[in-house]
């Protein structure tokens, strides 16, 4: 009898172990979710099965006749595309958006939110690539102040086109110095403290020593004299000038200083790209290339305040027609021609032709008769290889 009871107990124990194992396996099973792609009238895209916490593999773009694919969106009314780095935690459907295919000179009319850039060629919003900060330096790493004095620290961030240049400031001892969001340090009490600036995870430290104000010795009363003028620092600079220039032209920039009663209103001038435009210390700008350039005015009073202007420099095109006397039996005067961009002769592979009045010439024509340019117009329309039409000056020699 006891033997039977033992067998029964063993069977019950084995069943219990099996049940517990099944429950544990069920609880440990990885959940899977289905990701469906609604191509919204475009070519079909296969759905995907994704494990919980993993990401969707971005499929190849679908196609639709007469339309350009504008991206996948979690909701059809969203303005930003779906981020394929997002971890999946439920079943989802991604919807395709389409823009009507552009014809001729049509322009893409999509509007992208902050953090996204418009790809005009494909008429879609793409996530702006983030440029990380690799280094940050301060114009001073140590500083000595007297109680009550202030100093504004200027930072140099590398690279200059970093996405996030916002600095956060912190004082190790606010009883000694405080620092505001703009890097202005104020000496509060005698002692030492460290001011730290952090930009996109990169930090720089400024050691600050604060001394007491020197004791004033008693003086014999004298006739009151005129008080020394207060040193008023610059708080703002506005750079005035044209934002568009042509190659090999000049302009003079001016700097408006705030406040009007600033003690020292002098500035130094600098350029972000001397291959596009140069600037002298009088604010005279000379365009030497083409593209965008930033001209900056920096206050000389040590305040660290700057002002800048972005200037776009455009290429200059010209066509020179040189007269050529033919032989006596041919009885005609003709012109040969050359096309220039920024003073450098262009290859015939760089443009397709030009129009002067009623004359239409291709890049391979070679010569033009004097009758065709009898009016000697001073401008022409030049067509570049990519189809862009630009205005060119015409010179007759």
């Amino acid at each position: 009898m006891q033997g039977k009871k033992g067998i029964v107990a063993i069977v019950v124990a084995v069943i219990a172990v099996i049940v517990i194992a099944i429950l544990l396996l069920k609880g440990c099973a990885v959940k899977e979710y289905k990701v469906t792609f609604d191509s919204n009238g475009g070519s079909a895209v296969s759905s995907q099965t994704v494990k919980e916490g993993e990401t969707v593999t971005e499929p190849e773009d679908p196609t639709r006749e007469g339309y350009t694919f504008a991206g996948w969106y979690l909701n059809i009314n969203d303005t930003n595309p779906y981020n394929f780095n997002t971890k999946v935690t439920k079943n989802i459907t991604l919807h395709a958006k389409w823009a009507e295919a552009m014809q001729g000179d049509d322009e893409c009319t999509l509007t992208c939110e902050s953090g996204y850039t418009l790809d005009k060629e494909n008429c879609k919003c793409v996530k702006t690539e983030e440029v990380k900060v690799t280094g940050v330096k301060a114009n001073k790493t140590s500083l000595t102040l007297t109680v009550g004095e202030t100093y504004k620290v200027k930072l140099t961030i590398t690279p200059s086109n970093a996405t996030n240049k916002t600095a956060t400031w912190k004082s190790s001892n606010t009883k000694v110095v405080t620092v505001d969001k703009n890097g202005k340090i104020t000496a509060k009490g005698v002692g030492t403290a460290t001011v730290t600036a952090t930009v996109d995870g990169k930090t720089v430290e400024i050691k600050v020593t604060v001394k007491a104000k020197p004791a004033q010795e008693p003086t014999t009363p004298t006739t009151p004299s005129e008080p020394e003028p207060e040193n008023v620092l610059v708080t703002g600079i506005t750079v005035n000038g044209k934002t568009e220039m042509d190659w090999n032209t000049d302009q003079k920039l001016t700097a408006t200083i705030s406040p009007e009663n600033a003690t020292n209103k002098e500035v130094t001038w600098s350029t972000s790209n001397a291959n596009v435009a140069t600037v002298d210390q009088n604010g005279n700008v000379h365009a030497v290339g083409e593209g965008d350039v930033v001209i900056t005015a920096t206050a000389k009073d040590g305040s660290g305040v700057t002002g800048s202007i972005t200037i776009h420099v455009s290429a200059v095109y010209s066509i020179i027609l040189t007269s050529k006397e033919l032989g006596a039996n041919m009885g005609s005067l003709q012109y040969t021609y050359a096309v220039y961009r920024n003073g450098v002769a262009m290859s015939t592979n760089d443009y397709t032709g030009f129009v002067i009045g009623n004359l239409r010439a291709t890049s391979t024509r070679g010569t033009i008769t004097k009758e065709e340019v009898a009016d000697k117009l001073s401008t022409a329309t030049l067509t570049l290889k990519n189809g862009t039409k630009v205005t060119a000056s015409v010179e007759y020699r």
Side-chain angles (χ1 to χ4, degrees):
M1 189 69 178
Q2 288 181 347
K4 288 183 178 181
K5 287 182 179 179
I7 293 172
V8 171
I10 292 172
V11 171
V12 171
V14 170
I15 292 173
V17 170
I18 293 172
V19 170
I20 292 171
I22 292 172
L23 291 174
L24 288 174
L25 288 173
K26 185 176 181 180
C28 294
V30 178
K31 293 182 179 179
E32 293 183 337
Y33 298 104
K34 186 174 183 180
V35 179
T36 307
F37 297 90
D38 173 15
S39 62
N40 196 17
S43 56
V45 176
S46 301
S47 60
Q48 298 181 26
T49 300
V50 181
K51 293 181 179 179
E52 184 175 31
E54 295 186 355
T55 59
V56 187
T57 300
E58 185 172 1
E60 291 187 6
D61 294 348
T63 57
R64 181 181 176 187
E65 187 175 353
Y67 291 84
T68 300
F69 178 64
W72 293 106
Y73 292 76
L74 188 59
N75 297 298
I76 198 64
N77 293 324
D78 286 351
T79 55
N80 282 335
Y82 177 76
N83 183 353
F84 280 89
N85 292 321
T86 304
K87 294 180 180 180
V88 177
T89 58
K90 62 180 180 180
N91 296 327
I92 60 172
T93 297
L94 299 181
H95 304 273
K97 276 192 179 183
W98 302 92
E100 289 192 25
M102 294 182 290
Q103 303 293 329
D105 295 331
D106 288 354
E107 293 187 0
C108 178
T109 58
L110 281 180
T111 300
C112 302
E113 291 188 355
S114 176
Y116 288 81
T117 304
L118 177 62
D119 178 355
K120 289 186 177 180
E121 182 177 351
N122 297 306
C123 198
K124 62 192 292 187
C125 293
V126 295
K127 190 170 181 62
T128 303
E129 183 177 352
E130 183 179 7
V131 179
K132 299 291 289 182
V133 172
T134 58
V136 56
K137 293 182 179 179
N139 62 328
K140 286 187 178 290
T141 55
S142 62
L143 187 63
T144 300
L145 299 174
T146 301
V147 173
E149 285 186 332
T150 62
Y151 183 83
K152 185 173 182 180
V153 180
K154 183 178 180 181
L155 299 179
T156 301
I157 297 168
T158 306
S160 60
N161 65 333
T163 303
N164 179 13
K165 292 185 178 181
T166 302
T168 56
W169 298 85
K170 183 179 180 181
S171 169
S172 64
N173 190 341
T174 56
K175 292 183 179 179
V176 177
V177 294
T178 59
V179 60
D180 67 13
K181 64 180 181 180
N182 297 314
K184 181 180 178 181
I185 298 173
T186 301
K188 293 292 187 179
V190 176
T192 59
T194 300
V195 171
T196 304
T198 303
V199 184
D200 197 16
K202 301 296 182 180
T203 61
V204 63
E205 294 183 345
I206 302 96
K207 307 293 184 182
V208 184
T209 301
V210 179
K211 296 182 178 180
K213 288 183 178 181
Q216 293 185 347
E217 296 181 2
T219 58
T220 304
T222 58
T223 304
S225 59
E226 291 291 330
E228 291 187 6
E230 180 184 1
N231 183 31
V232 180
L233 295 177
V234 173
T235 59
I237 299 176
T238 301
V239 177
N240 311 295
K242 297 182 294 184
T243 58
E244 297 284 341
M245 294 180 68
D246 289 334
W247 168 80
N248 201 31
T249 60
D250 301 276
Q251 71 160 313
K252 182 177 178 62
L253 302 178
T254 59
T256 301
I257 306 297
S258 298
E260 290 186 358
N261 64 334
T263 304
N264 183 355
K265 294 186 177 182
E266 293 185 355
V267 298
T268 57
W269 294 92
S270 60
T271 177
S272 65
N273 191 340
N275 293 322
V276 177
T278 60
V279 62
D280 65 17
Q281 290 311 306
N282 294 315
N284 295 308
V285 178
H286 179 62
V288 297
E290 56 184 285
D292 290 328
V293 62
V294 178
I295 305 297
T296 301
T298 303
K300 279 188 174 182
D301 64 353
S303 62
V305 175
T306 63
S308 62
I309 185 173
T310 300
I311 300 173
H312 178 74
V313 180
S314 301
V316 173
Y317 298 88
S318 60
I319 301 172
I320 297 179
L321 280 70
T322 305
S323 61
K324 172 183 173 185
E325 182 110 27
L326 299 179
N329 295 331
M330 303 188 71
S332 180
L333 182 68
Q334 292 191 348
Y335 291 95
T336 58
Y337 60 85
V339 180
Y340 295 83
R341 175 185 179 134
N342 294 347
V344 179
M346 296 176 65
S347 165
T348 55
N349 294 324
D350 295 332
Y351 66 97
T352 60
F354 57 86
V355 176
I356 306 176
N358 294 323
L359 167 67
R360 296 179 178 272
T362 64
S363 61
T364 57
R365 179 170 176 176
T367 60
I368 296 167
T369 67
K370 67 177 182 179
E371 290 79 14
E372 291 178 297
V373 290
D375 292 338
K376 290 194 174 182
L377 299 178
S378 61
T379 59
T381 300
L382 176 68
T383 303
L384 304 181
K385 199 70 174 179
N386 63 5
T388 301
K389 296 182 185 299
V390 297
T391 299
S393 63
V394 181
E395 180 181 345
Y396 302 84
R397 295 181 178 177

